[in-house]
Amino acid sequence: MTRIRRGYIARRRRTKIRLFASSFRGAHSRLTRTITQQKIRALVSAHRDRGRQKINFRRLWITRINAAIRERGVCYSYSRLINDLYKRQLLLNRKILAQIAISNRSCLYMISNEIIKEVDWKESTG
């Protein structure tokens, strides 16, 4: 019986997997079975951490806004600012507010002062 030479398809598949894991260390970049396990693990981590990244950035923005607002006055806080923004129907998301808080703090103070005046005026008349 003659010997059958294996085709190139499996080798191409393994080469493609090795290219993915070329930056891994040790057996994680050399052994095919370990490479496939590490590839699955890496992709799972990437998928999970994309969601975590959104949560972390939102927490960072909230912290920055709260720090800037509390610096101005002790009685005013992040939650009151956001509540007053909703009452006034201003569409400013947390990312934009955080950028304003970093780059142009006086602008954030002007926004918050206008909101406070408007909300207090509505509450006293209404």
Side-chain angles (χ1 to χ4, degrees):
M1 175 151 266
T2 57
R3 178 176 163 265
I4 298 171
R5 293 176 60 217
R6 296 297 299 177
Y8 62 94
I9 295 168
R11 189 167 55 248
R12 266 197 327 200
R13 188 184 72 240
R14 290 188 198 111
T15 309
K16 196 162 49 172
I17 293 171
R18 281 204 176 92
L19 286 173
F20 180 86
S22 61
S23 61
F24 296 171
R25 290 182 61 176
H28 295 230
S29 68
R30 290 191 195 95
L31 304 178
T32 305
R33 189 176 294 173
T34 315
I35 288 172
T36 54
Q37 291 170 354
Q38 288 304 308
K39 180 180 178 182
I40 291 168
R41 186 181 176 132
L43 293 174
V44 165
S45 297
H47 181 263
R48 180 196 62 227
D49 293 339
R50 277 195 298 274
R52 287 296 317 167
Q53 187 182 32
K54 292 176 182 65
I55 295 167
N56 289 338
F57 268 111
R58 183 183 165 97
R59 286 177 63 187
L60 176 69
W61 298 331
I62 289 171
T63 306
R64 285 177 175 170
I65 297 165
N66 198 19
I69 290 296
R70 283 180 186 268
E71 197 175 89
R72 184 70 173 194
V74 180
C75 61
Y76 207 60
S77 65
Y78 163 80
S79 59
R80 283 190 57 198
L81 173 73
I82 295 297
N83 187 26
D84 292 345
L85 281 171
Y86 275 109
K87 283 182 186 173
R88 188 114 183 255
Q89 294 179 341
L90 281 174
L91 298 174
L92 286 172
N93 62 14
R94 286 154 185 83
K95 180 179 180 180
I96 299 297
L97 283 172
Q99 286 176 346
I100 292 171
I102 291 172
S103 63
N104 195 355
R105 203 161 275 194
S106 60
C107 181
L108 183 69
Y109 295 148
M110 284 171 37
I111 292 170
S112 62
N113 287 338
E114 287 297 317
I115 291 169
I116 292 169
K117 286 178 193 172
E118 179 97 9
V119 170
D120 288 343
W121 182 78
K122 281 185 178 179
E123 288 175 357
S124 63
T125 58

